[in-house]
Amino acid sequence: LEPVLCLVSGVNRVDMARLAAVTAEPAIRRATAREANDLTGFTIGGIPPIGHSRPLRVIMDPDLGRYETVWAAAGLPTAVFPVPPATLRMLSNAEVTPLAEVVRHADLEAALGG
């Protein structure tokens, strides 16, 4: 399987079924921490969207576009940098397609206690 870097808002989670459909890889899965580090040279929480030593396929959820600025990982779990979503898309050469899990209103109400 080809590694894929997903750019998704911190409040969202990648829907693995959507990702499988987008990549045409039914067996796609989340990388382990070790795999992520081996593939990118960075630890989870600090994997930047750009600047990798090898080309990576990058897919960006369109929900990021609702923000004026997003904060992207900058190589360490404690380092981030501000970037407009359109610039992030361009710099990372990301394809934009829905990746986030769809949260039903009833599920959100239940999680919030009513």
Side-chain angles (χ1 to χ4, degrees):
L1 293 175
E2 141 191 48
V4 176
L5 182 64
C6 298
L7 305 179
V8 180
S9 169
V11 298
N12 291 324
R13 286 182 46 96
V14 171
D15 182 316
M16 294 307 292
R18 282 182 162 189
L19 183 59
V22 167
T23 59
E25 292 285 355
I28 200 162
R29 61 179 175 76
R30 287 181 172 83
T32 65
R34 171 165 285 176
E35 290 168 337
N37 186 266
D38 289 348
L39 289 166
T40 67
F42 299 98
T43 59
I44 290 177
I47 300 172
I50 58 174
H52 295 273
S53 60
R54 62 181 271 191
L56 286 176
R57 181 176 181 188
V58 180
I59 303 173
M60 180 173 157
D61 188 78
D63 185 57
L64 287 173
R66 70 186 174 109
Y67 300 101
E68 185 175 317
T69 301
V70 295
W71 293 85
L76 297 171
T78 56
V80 293
F81 67 96
V83 61
T87 302
L88 178 61
R89 182 196 53 75
M90 186 177 54
L91 292 175
S92 64
N93 195 31
E95 63 185 276
V96 178
T97 191
L99 290 176
E101 290 179 345
V102 176
V103 178
R104 295 182 321 129
H105 185 72
D107 293 338
L108 184 59
E109 282 185 348
L112 296 175

